Amino acid sequence: MTPPDLYPRAFAFACDDKLPSICDSLYVVAAQLMEVELWTADRRLLLALGSGAPWVHFLGDYPFD
């Protein structure tokens, strides 16, 4: 099931945050809409996001226990 307004919000997010890929933005915005954390190993994405998406984290920081 697609969250409401996913595509327009992802497009706006990609433009506002100057993300190189709409696919990246879809993942980030879907996580935001579902109110979950997104863990990624994509350093390029993390660098592009900066502090603009505090729900997105580097996978290497995940507390595997």
Side-chain angles (χ1 to χ4, degrees):
M1 183 163 151
T2 303
D5 300 326
L6 173 63
Y7 296 107
R9 288 181 66 168
F11 182 75
F13 191 89
C15 292
D16 292 346
D17 287 270
K18 298 180 179 46
L19 295 181
S21 166
I22 190 72
C23 292
D24 289 341
S25 185
L26 284 167
Y27 290 122
V28 172
V29 172
Q32 180 187 37
L33 290 172
M34 296 183 334
E35 299 179 357
V36 298
E37 294 181 334
L38 174 64
W39 293 86
T40 181
D42 188 343
R43 291 184 185 269
R44 177 192 51 82
L45 173 60
L46 292 165
L47 195 62
L49 290 171
S51 62
W55 61 95
V56 181
H57 310 284
F58 177 57
L59 187 59
D61 294 334
Y62 188 82
F64 292 102
D65 288 334

Short mmCIF file of all heavy atoms in Angstrom, two decimals:
data_model
loop_
_atom_site.label_atom_id
_atom_site.label_comp_id
_atom_site.label_asym_id
_atom_site.label_seq_id
_atom_site.Cartn_x
_atom_site.Cartn_y
_atom_site.Cartn_z
N MET A 1 0.84 -1.17 0.00
CA MET A 1 0.00 0.00 0.00
C MET A 1 0.89 1.24 0.00
O MET A 1 1.81 1.35 0.80
CB MET A 1 -0.89 -0.02 1.23
CG MET A 1 -1.85 1.10 1.29
SD MET A 1 -3.09 0.63 2.50
CE MET A 1 -3.58 2.15 3.11
N THR A 2 0.62 2.16 -0.89
CA THR A 2 1.40 3.38 -1.01
C THR A 2 0.88 4.44 -0.06
O THR A 2 -0.33 4.73 -0.05
CB THR A 2 1.32 3.91 -2.46
OG1 THR A 2 1.78 2.90 -3.34
CG2 THR A 2 2.16 5.15 -2.64
N PRO A 3 1.75 5.03 0.76
CA PRO A 3 1.29 6.12 1.63
C PRO A 3 0.72 7.27 0.79
O PRO A 3 1.22 7.55 -0.30
CB PRO A 3 2.55 6.56 2.36
CG PRO A 3 3.48 5.41 2.26
CD PRO A 3 3.16 4.73 0.96
N PRO A 4 -0.30 7.94 1.30
CA PRO A 4 -0.88 9.06 0.56
C PRO A 4 0.16 10.14 0.28
O PRO A 4 1.01 10.43 1.12
CB PRO A 4 -1.96 9.60 1.50
CG PRO A 4 -2.15 8.58 2.56
CD PRO A 4 -0.93 7.71 2.58
N ASP A 5 0.10 10.70 -0.89
CA ASP A 5 0.97 11.80 -1.30
C ASP A 5 2.45 11.44 -1.37
O ASP A 5 3.30 12.33 -1.35
CB ASP A 5 0.79 13.02 -0.39
CG ASP A 5 -0.63 13.55 -0.40
OD1 ASP A 5 -1.28 13.48 -1.46
OD2 ASP A 5 -1.08 14.04 0.66
N LEU A 6 2.78 10.16 -1.42
CA LEU A 6 4.19 9.76 -1.45
C LEU A 6 4.92 10.39 -2.63
O LEU A 6 5.98 11.00 -2.45
CB LEU A 6 4.32 8.24 -1.51
CG LEU A 6 5.76 7.72 -1.70
CD1 LEU A 6 6.64 8.12 -0.53
CD2 LEU A 6 5.76 6.21 -1.88
N TYR A 7 4.37 10.24 -3.82
CA TYR A 7 5.10 10.69 -5.01
C TYR A 7 5.29 12.21 -5.06
O TYR A 7 6.42 12.67 -5.29
CB TYR A 7 4.45 10.13 -6.27
CG TYR A 7 4.53 8.63 -6.32
CD1 TYR A 7 3.40 7.86 -6.09
CD2 TYR A 7 5.74 7.98 -6.53
CE1 TYR A 7 3.48 6.47 -6.10
CE2 TYR A 7 5.83 6.60 -6.54
CZ TYR A 7 4.69 5.85 -6.32
OH TYR A 7 4.77 4.48 -6.32
N PRO A 8 4.26 13.02 -4.83
CA PRO A 8 4.50 14.46 -4.86
C PRO A 8 5.43 14.92 -3.74
O PRO A 8 6.28 15.80 -3.94
CB PRO A 8 3.11 15.09 -4.71
CG PRO A 8 2.12 14.00 -4.65
CD PRO A 8 2.84 12.69 -4.72
N ARG A 9 5.31 14.31 -2.57
CA ARG A 9 6.19 14.70 -1.46
C ARG A 9 7.64 14.28 -1.73
O ARG A 9 8.58 15.01 -1.42
CB ARG A 9 5.70 14.10 -0.15
CG ARG A 9 4.43 14.80 0.33
CD ARG A 9 3.93 14.27 1.62
NE ARG A 9 4.86 14.55 2.71
CZ ARG A 9 4.57 14.39 3.99
NH1 ARG A 9 3.38 13.95 4.34
NH2 ARG A 9 5.45 14.64 4.92
N ALA A 10 7.82 13.12 -2.33
CA ALA A 10 9.17 12.65 -2.66
C ALA A 10 9.80 13.55 -3.72
O ALA A 10 10.98 13.89 -3.63
CB ALA A 10 9.14 11.21 -3.14
N PHE A 11 9.02 13.95 -4.70
CA PHE A 11 9.54 14.85 -5.73
C PHE A 11 9.93 16.19 -5.12
O PHE A 11 11.03 16.70 -5.38
CB PHE A 11 8.50 15.06 -6.84
CG PHE A 11 9.00 15.94 -7.94
CD1 PHE A 11 9.90 15.46 -8.87
CD2 PHE A 11 8.57 17.25 -8.03
CE1 PHE A 11 10.38 16.28 -9.88
CE2 PHE A 11 9.04 18.08 -9.03
CZ PHE A 11 9.95 17.59 -9.97
N ALA A 12 9.09 16.74 -4.27
CA ALA A 12 9.40 18.02 -3.62
C ALA A 12 10.63 17.88 -2.72
O ALA A 12 11.50 18.77 -2.71
CB ALA A 12 8.20 18.50 -2.81
N PHE A 13 10.72 16.78 -2.00
CA PHE A 13 11.87 16.55 -1.11
C PHE A 13 13.15 16.46 -1.92
O PHE A 13 14.17 17.04 -1.55
CB PHE A 13 11.65 15.28 -0.29
CG PHE A 13 12.63 15.10 0.83
CD1 PHE A 13 12.37 15.62 2.08
CD2 PHE A 13 13.82 14.41 0.65
CE1 PHE A 13 13.27 15.47 3.12
CE2 PHE A 13 14.73 14.24 1.67
CZ PHE A 13 14.45 14.77 2.92
N ALA A 14 13.09 15.75 -3.04
CA ALA A 14 14.28 15.61 -3.90
C ALA A 14 14.72 16.96 -4.43
O ALA A 14 15.91 17.26 -4.47
CB ALA A 14 13.98 14.65 -5.05
N CYS A 15 13.77 17.78 -4.82
CA CYS A 15 14.11 19.12 -5.34
C CYS A 15 14.64 20.02 -4.23
O CYS A 15 15.66 20.68 -4.41
CB CYS A 15 12.88 19.75 -5.98
SG CYS A 15 12.35 18.94 -7.50
N ASP A 16 13.97 20.03 -3.10
CA ASP A 16 14.37 20.91 -1.99
C ASP A 16 15.72 20.54 -1.43
O ASP A 16 16.52 21.41 -1.08
CB ASP A 16 13.33 20.86 -0.86
CG ASP A 16 12.01 21.49 -1.27
OD1 ASP A 16 11.95 22.19 -2.30
OD2 ASP A 16 11.01 21.25 -0.55
N ASP A 17 15.98 19.24 -1.30
CA ASP A 17 17.24 18.79 -0.71
C ASP A 17 18.29 18.45 -1.76
O ASP A 17 19.36 17.96 -1.42
CB ASP A 17 16.97 17.57 0.19
CG ASP A 17 16.28 17.98 1.46
OD1 ASP A 17 16.98 18.29 2.42
OD2 ASP A 17 15.04 18.05 1.46
N LYS A 18 17.96 18.71 -3.02
CA LYS A 18 18.89 18.50 -4.13
C LYS A 18 19.47 17.08 -4.14
O LYS A 18 20.67 16.88 -4.28
CB LYS A 18 19.99 19.55 -4.10
CG LYS A 18 19.40 20.94 -4.26
CD LYS A 18 20.44 22.01 -4.24
CE LYS A 18 19.88 23.39 -4.42
NZ LYS A 18 18.73 23.77 -3.67
N LEU A 19 18.58 16.12 -3.96
CA LEU A 19 19.01 14.72 -4.03
C LEU A 19 19.21 14.34 -5.49
O LEU A 19 18.42 14.74 -6.35
CB LEU A 19 17.98 13.81 -3.37
CG LEU A 19 17.78 13.98 -1.88
CD1 LEU A 19 16.75 12.99 -1.37
CD2 LEU A 19 19.08 13.81 -1.12
N PRO A 20 20.21 13.54 -5.77
CA PRO A 20 20.51 13.18 -7.15
C PRO A 20 19.53 12.16 -7.74
O PRO A 20 19.50 11.95 -8.94
CB PRO A 20 21.91 12.60 -7.08
CG PRO A 20 22.05 12.13 -5.68
CD PRO A 20 21.21 13.05 -4.84
N SER A 21 18.71 11.54 -6.90
CA SER A 21 17.84 10.47 -7.38
C SER A 21 16.46 10.56 -6.73
O SER A 21 16.35 10.68 -5.51
CB SER A 21 18.47 9.12 -7.06
OG SER A 21 17.55 8.08 -7.22
N ILE A 22 15.42 10.48 -7.54
CA ILE A 22 14.07 10.43 -7.00
C ILE A 22 13.85 9.13 -6.23
O ILE A 22 13.11 9.09 -5.26
CB ILE A 22 13.01 10.64 -8.10
CG1 ILE A 22 11.61 10.83 -7.50
CG2 ILE A 22 12.99 9.48 -9.07
CD1 ILE A 22 11.40 12.13 -6.82
N CYS A 23 14.55 8.07 -6.63
CA CYS A 23 14.44 6.79 -5.90
C CYS A 23 14.90 6.95 -4.46
O CYS A 23 14.26 6.45 -3.54
CB CYS A 23 15.25 5.71 -6.59
SG CYS A 23 14.58 5.23 -8.18
N ASP A 24 16.02 7.65 -4.26
CA ASP A 24 16.50 7.92 -2.90
C ASP A 24 15.43 8.66 -2.11
O ASP A 24 15.15 8.36 -0.96
CB ASP A 24 17.78 8.74 -2.92
CG ASP A 24 18.98 7.98 -3.42
OD1 ASP A 24 18.94 6.73 -3.42
OD2 ASP A 24 19.97 8.62 -3.82
N SER A 25 14.85 9.66 -2.74
CA SER A 25 13.84 10.46 -2.08
C SER A 25 12.61 9.63 -1.71
O SER A 25 12.01 9.84 -0.66
CB SER A 25 13.45 11.65 -2.96
OG SER A 25 12.56 12.49 -2.28
N LEU A 26 12.24 8.70 -2.56
CA LEU A 26 11.09 7.83 -2.26
C LEU A 26 11.32 7.04 -0.98
O LEU A 26 10.43 6.93 -0.14
CB LEU A 26 10.80 6.90 -3.43
CG LEU A 26 10.12 7.53 -4.63
CD1 LEU A 26 10.18 6.60 -5.84
CD2 LEU A 26 8.69 7.90 -4.31
N TYR A 27 12.52 6.49 -0.83
CA TYR A 27 12.83 5.73 0.39
C TYR A 27 12.78 6.62 1.62
O TYR A 27 12.21 6.26 2.65
CB TYR A 27 14.23 5.09 0.31
CG TYR A 27 14.35 3.97 -0.67
CD1 TYR A 27 15.26 4.01 -1.71
CD2 TYR A 27 13.54 2.83 -0.56
CE1 TYR A 27 15.38 2.97 -2.62
CE2 TYR A 27 13.65 1.79 -1.46
CZ TYR A 27 14.58 1.87 -2.49
OH TYR A 27 14.68 0.83 -3.37
N VAL A 28 13.39 7.79 1.52
CA VAL A 28 13.47 8.72 2.65
C VAL A 28 12.08 9.20 3.06
O VAL A 28 11.73 9.19 4.24
CB VAL A 28 14.40 9.91 2.30
CG1 VAL A 28 14.34 10.97 3.38
CG2 VAL A 28 15.83 9.43 2.10
N VAL A 29 11.29 9.61 2.09
CA VAL A 29 9.95 10.13 2.39
C VAL A 29 9.01 9.01 2.85
O VAL A 29 8.20 9.23 3.75
CB VAL A 29 9.39 10.90 1.19
CG1 VAL A 29 7.94 11.29 1.40
CG2 VAL A 29 10.23 12.15 0.93
N ALA A 30 9.12 7.83 2.28
CA ALA A 30 8.29 6.71 2.73
C ALA A 30 8.57 6.41 4.20
O ALA A 30 7.63 6.20 4.98
CB ALA A 30 8.52 5.47 1.87
N ALA A 31 9.83 6.41 4.58
CA ALA A 31 10.18 6.17 5.99
C ALA A 31 9.60 7.27 6.87
O ALA A 31 9.07 7.00 7.96
CB ALA A 31 11.69 6.10 6.15
N GLN A 32 9.68 8.50 6.41
CA GLN A 32 9.13 9.62 7.17
C GLN A 32 7.61 9.47 7.34
O GLN A 32 7.09 9.63 8.45
CB GLN A 32 9.44 10.94 6.47
CG GLN A 32 8.91 12.15 7.19
CD GLN A 32 9.09 13.42 6.40
OE1 GLN A 32 8.98 13.42 5.18
NE2 GLN A 32 9.37 14.51 7.09
N LEU A 33 6.91 9.17 6.27
CA LEU A 33 5.46 9.04 6.33
C LEU A 33 5.02 7.87 7.21
O LEU A 33 3.99 7.93 7.88
CB LEU A 33 4.88 8.86 4.92
CG LEU A 33 4.95 10.10 4.02
CD1 LEU A 33 4.53 9.73 2.60
CD2 LEU A 33 4.08 11.21 4.57
N MET A 34 5.81 6.81 7.22
CA MET A 34 5.49 5.64 8.04
C MET A 34 6.02 5.77 9.47
O MET A 34 5.82 4.88 10.29
CB MET A 34 6.02 4.37 7.37
CG MET A 34 5.33 4.13 6.05
SD MET A 34 5.76 2.61 5.13
CE MET A 34 7.37 2.18 5.63
N GLU A 35 6.73 6.88 9.71
CA GLU A 35 7.28 7.17 11.04
C GLU A 35 8.21 6.07 11.54
O GLU A 35 8.10 5.58 12.66
CB GLU A 35 6.17 7.46 12.04
CG GLU A 35 5.34 8.67 11.66
CD GLU A 35 4.22 8.97 12.63
OE1 GLU A 35 4.01 8.20 13.61
OE2 GLU A 35 3.53 9.98 12.42
N VAL A 36 9.14 5.66 10.64
CA VAL A 36 10.14 4.66 10.99
C VAL A 36 11.52 5.22 10.65
O VAL A 36 11.65 6.19 9.91
CB VAL A 36 9.93 3.33 10.22
CG1 VAL A 36 8.58 2.72 10.58
CG2 VAL A 36 10.03 3.54 8.73
N GLU A 37 12.53 4.61 11.22
CA GLU A 37 13.90 4.99 10.90
C GLU A 37 14.34 4.27 9.63
O GLU A 37 13.92 3.14 9.38
CB GLU A 37 14.84 4.63 12.05
CG GLU A 37 14.56 5.44 13.30
CD GLU A 37 15.50 5.09 14.42
OE1 GLU A 37 16.02 3.96 14.45
OE2 GLU A 37 15.72 5.95 15.28
N LEU A 38 15.17 4.93 8.86
CA LEU A 38 15.74 4.33 7.65
C LEU A 38 17.23 4.19 7.88
O LEU A 38 17.91 5.16 8.21
CB LEU A 38 15.47 5.22 6.44
CG LEU A 38 16.14 4.80 5.13
CD1 LEU A 38 15.61 3.45 4.66
CD2 LEU A 38 15.92 5.85 4.05
N TRP A 39 17.73 2.97 7.75
CA TRP A 39 19.15 2.69 7.91
C TRP A 39 19.73 2.40 6.54
O TRP A 39 19.19 1.57 5.82
CB TRP A 39 19.35 1.51 8.85
CG TRP A 39 18.94 1.84 10.25
CD1 TRP A 39 17.70 1.75 10.79
CD2 TRP A 39 19.78 2.38 11.27
NE1 TRP A 39 17.70 2.18 12.09
CE2 TRP A 39 18.97 2.57 12.42
CE3 TRP A 39 21.13 2.71 11.34
CZ2 TRP A 39 19.48 3.07 13.61
CZ3 TRP A 39 21.64 3.21 12.53
CH2 TRP A 39 20.82 3.39 13.65
N THR A 40 20.82 3.07 6.18
CA THR A 40 21.41 2.91 4.86
C THR A 40 22.93 2.89 4.94
O THR A 40 23.52 3.49 5.84
CB THR A 40 20.95 4.05 3.92
OG1 THR A 40 21.52 3.85 2.63
CG2 THR A 40 21.37 5.42 4.43
N ALA A 41 23.53 2.21 3.98
CA ALA A 41 24.99 2.23 3.84
C ALA A 41 25.40 3.21 2.75
O ALA A 41 26.58 3.33 2.44
CB ALA A 41 25.50 0.83 3.50
N ASP A 42 24.44 3.93 2.18
CA ASP A 42 24.69 4.87 1.09
C ASP A 42 25.21 6.20 1.64
O ASP A 42 24.45 7.09 2.01
CB ASP A 42 23.40 5.08 0.30
CG ASP A 42 23.59 5.89 -0.96
OD1 ASP A 42 24.64 6.58 -1.08
OD2 ASP A 42 22.70 5.87 -1.82
N ARG A 43 26.53 6.32 1.68
CA ARG A 43 27.15 7.54 2.21
C ARG A 43 26.84 8.76 1.36
O ARG A 43 26.72 9.87 1.87
CB ARG A 43 28.65 7.35 2.35
CG ARG A 43 29.02 6.36 3.43
CD ARG A 43 30.53 6.28 3.58
NE ARG A 43 30.92 5.26 4.51
CZ ARG A 43 31.09 5.46 5.82
NH1 ARG A 43 30.86 6.64 6.34
NH2 ARG A 43 31.47 4.48 6.59
N ARG A 44 26.66 8.55 0.05
CA ARG A 44 26.34 9.66 -0.84
C ARG A 44 24.98 10.25 -0.45
O ARG A 44 24.81 11.46 -0.38
CB ARG A 44 26.31 9.18 -2.30
CG ARG A 44 25.93 10.23 -3.31
CD ARG A 44 25.63 9.61 -4.67
NE ARG A 44 24.70 8.50 -4.63
CZ ARG A 44 23.37 8.62 -4.59
NH1 ARG A 44 22.82 9.79 -4.60
NH2 ARG A 44 22.60 7.56 -4.55
N LEU A 45 24.02 9.39 -0.15
CA LEU A 45 22.71 9.85 0.28
C LEU A 45 22.80 10.59 1.61
O LEU A 45 22.24 11.67 1.76
CB LEU A 45 21.74 8.67 0.40
CG LEU A 45 20.37 8.97 0.99
CD1 LEU A 45 19.62 10.00 0.16
CD2 LEU A 45 19.57 7.69 1.13
N LEU A 46 23.52 10.02 2.54
CA LEU A 46 23.66 10.66 3.85
C LEU A 46 24.32 12.02 3.74
O LEU A 46 23.91 12.98 4.40
CB LEU A 46 24.46 9.75 4.79
CG LEU A 46 23.76 8.47 5.20
CD1 LEU A 46 24.75 7.49 5.81
CD2 LEU A 46 22.62 8.77 6.16
N LEU A 47 25.32 12.12 2.89
CA LEU A 47 25.99 13.40 2.68
C LEU A 47 25.04 14.42 2.07
O LEU A 47 25.00 15.57 2.48
CB LEU A 47 27.22 13.19 1.78
CG LEU A 47 28.23 14.31 1.72
CD1 LEU A 47 28.84 14.56 3.09
CD2 LEU A 47 29.32 13.97 0.73
N ALA A 48 24.25 13.99 1.10
CA ALA A 48 23.29 14.89 0.46
C ALA A 48 22.21 15.35 1.43
O ALA A 48 21.78 16.50 1.38
CB ALA A 48 22.65 14.19 -0.75
N LEU A 49 21.80 14.47 2.34
CA LEU A 49 20.75 14.82 3.29
C LEU A 49 21.24 15.75 4.38
O LEU A 49 20.48 16.58 4.87
CB LEU A 49 20.18 13.55 3.94
CG LEU A 49 19.35 12.65 3.06
CD1 LEU A 49 19.05 11.34 3.78
CD2 LEU A 49 18.07 13.34 2.64
N GLY A 50 22.50 15.60 4.77
CA GLY A 50 23.01 16.39 5.89
C GLY A 50 22.15 16.14 7.12
O GLY A 50 21.89 15.00 7.47
N SER A 51 21.66 17.20 7.73
CA SER A 51 20.80 17.05 8.91
C SER A 51 19.33 17.20 8.55
O SER A 51 18.48 17.31 9.43
CB SER A 51 21.19 18.08 9.97
OG SER A 51 20.99 19.39 9.45
N GLY A 52 19.01 17.18 7.24
CA GLY A 52 17.65 17.41 6.79
C GLY A 52 16.69 16.26 6.98
O GLY A 52 15.49 16.42 6.76
N ALA A 53 17.18 15.11 7.36
CA ALA A 53 16.32 13.94 7.56
C ALA A 53 16.85 13.15 8.76
O ALA A 53 17.54 12.14 8.59
CB ALA A 53 16.27 13.08 6.31
N PRO A 54 16.55 13.60 9.97
CA PRO A 54 17.13 12.96 11.16
C PRO A 54 16.68 11.52 11.39
O PRO A 54 17.24 10.83 12.24
CB PRO A 54 16.68 13.87 12.32
CG PRO A 54 15.53 14.64 11.78
CD PRO A 54 15.71 14.74 10.30
N TRP A 55 15.71 11.04 10.63
CA TRP A 55 15.26 9.65 10.74
C TRP A 55 16.09 8.70 9.86
O TRP A 55 15.89 7.51 9.87
CB TRP A 55 13.78 9.53 10.40
CG TRP A 55 13.45 9.96 9.00
CD1 TRP A 55 13.34 9.14 7.90
CD2 TRP A 55 13.21 11.27 8.54
NE1 TRP A 55 13.06 9.89 6.79
CE2 TRP A 55 12.98 11.22 7.15
CE3 TRP A 55 13.19 12.53 9.15
CZ2 TRP A 55 12.71 12.33 6.38
CZ3 TRP A 55 12.92 13.65 8.37
CH2 TRP A 55 12.68 13.54 7.01
N VAL A 56 17.05 9.25 9.12
CA VAL A 56 17.91 8.45 8.25
C VAL A 56 19.28 8.33 8.92
O VAL A 56 19.87 9.33 9.33
CB VAL A 56 18.05 9.07 6.85
CG1 VAL A 56 18.93 8.19 5.96
CG2 VAL A 56 16.67 9.26 6.21
N HIS A 57 19.76 7.09 9.04
CA HIS A 57 20.99 6.82 9.78
C HIS A 57 21.95 5.96 8.95
O HIS A 57 21.52 5.19 8.10
CB HIS A 57 20.69 6.08 11.08
CG HIS A 57 19.61 6.71 11.90
ND1 HIS A 57 19.81 7.83 12.66
CD2 HIS A 57 18.31 6.37 12.06
CE1 HIS A 57 18.70 8.16 13.26
NE2 HIS A 57 17.76 7.28 12.90
N PHE A 58 23.22 6.06 9.30
CA PHE A 58 24.25 5.24 8.66
C PHE A 58 24.19 3.83 9.24
O PHE A 58 24.20 3.64 10.47
CB PHE A 58 25.63 5.85 8.87
CG PHE A 58 26.74 5.02 8.31
CD1 PHE A 58 26.75 4.67 6.97
CD2 PHE A 58 27.77 4.59 9.11
CE1 PHE A 58 27.77 3.89 6.44
CE2 PHE A 58 28.80 3.81 8.60
CZ PHE A 58 28.80 3.47 7.25
N LEU A 59 24.12 2.83 8.38
CA LEU A 59 24.02 1.44 8.80
C LEU A 59 25.17 1.01 9.69
O LEU A 59 25.00 0.21 10.61
CB LEU A 59 23.92 0.52 7.57
CG LEU A 59 23.65 -0.94 7.82
CD1 LEU A 59 22.34 -1.13 8.56
CD2 LEU A 59 23.63 -1.70 6.52
N GLY A 60 26.35 1.58 9.46
CA GLY A 60 27.50 1.25 10.29
C GLY A 60 27.35 1.66 11.74
O GLY A 60 28.08 1.19 12.61
N ASP A 61 26.40 2.54 12.03
CA ASP A 61 26.14 2.98 13.40
C ASP A 61 25.05 2.16 14.09
O ASP A 61 24.72 2.41 15.24
CB ASP A 61 25.72 4.46 13.42
CG ASP A 61 26.85 5.38 12.99
OD1 ASP A 61 28.03 5.00 13.14
OD2 ASP A 61 26.54 6.48 12.50
N TYR A 62 24.48 1.18 13.37
CA TYR A 62 23.40 0.39 13.94
C TYR A 62 23.92 -0.44 15.12
O TYR A 62 24.96 -1.09 15.01
CB TYR A 62 22.77 -0.54 12.90
CG TYR A 62 21.52 -1.22 13.41
CD1 TYR A 62 20.29 -0.55 13.37
CD2 TYR A 62 21.56 -2.49 13.93
CE1 TYR A 62 19.15 -1.16 13.86
CE2 TYR A 62 20.42 -3.12 14.41
CZ TYR A 62 19.22 -2.45 14.37
OH TYR A 62 18.08 -3.05 14.85
N PRO A 63 23.21 -0.42 16.23
CA PRO A 63 23.67 -1.16 17.42
C PRO A 63 23.36 -2.66 17.33
O PRO A 63 22.44 -3.16 17.98
CB PRO A 63 22.91 -0.50 18.56
CG PRO A 63 21.64 -0.01 17.92
CD PRO A 63 22.00 0.36 16.51
N PHE A 64 24.13 -3.38 16.53
CA PHE A 64 23.93 -4.83 16.41
C PHE A 64 24.32 -5.47 17.74
O PHE A 64 25.46 -5.38 18.17
CB PHE A 64 24.80 -5.42 15.30
CG PHE A 64 24.38 -4.98 13.93
CD1 PHE A 64 25.08 -4.00 13.25
CD2 PHE A 64 23.28 -5.56 13.32
CE1 PHE A 64 24.71 -3.60 11.98
CE2 PHE A 64 22.89 -5.17 12.05
CZ PHE A 64 23.61 -4.19 11.37
N ASP A 65 23.41 -6.11 18.38
CA ASP A 65 23.70 -6.81 19.64
C ASP A 65 23.00 -8.12 19.69
O ASP A 65 21.96 -8.36 19.25
CB ASP A 65 23.29 -5.99 20.85
CG ASP A 65 24.20 -4.79 21.08
OD1 ASP A 65 25.36 -4.85 20.67
OD2 ASP A 65 23.72 -3.83 21.68
#
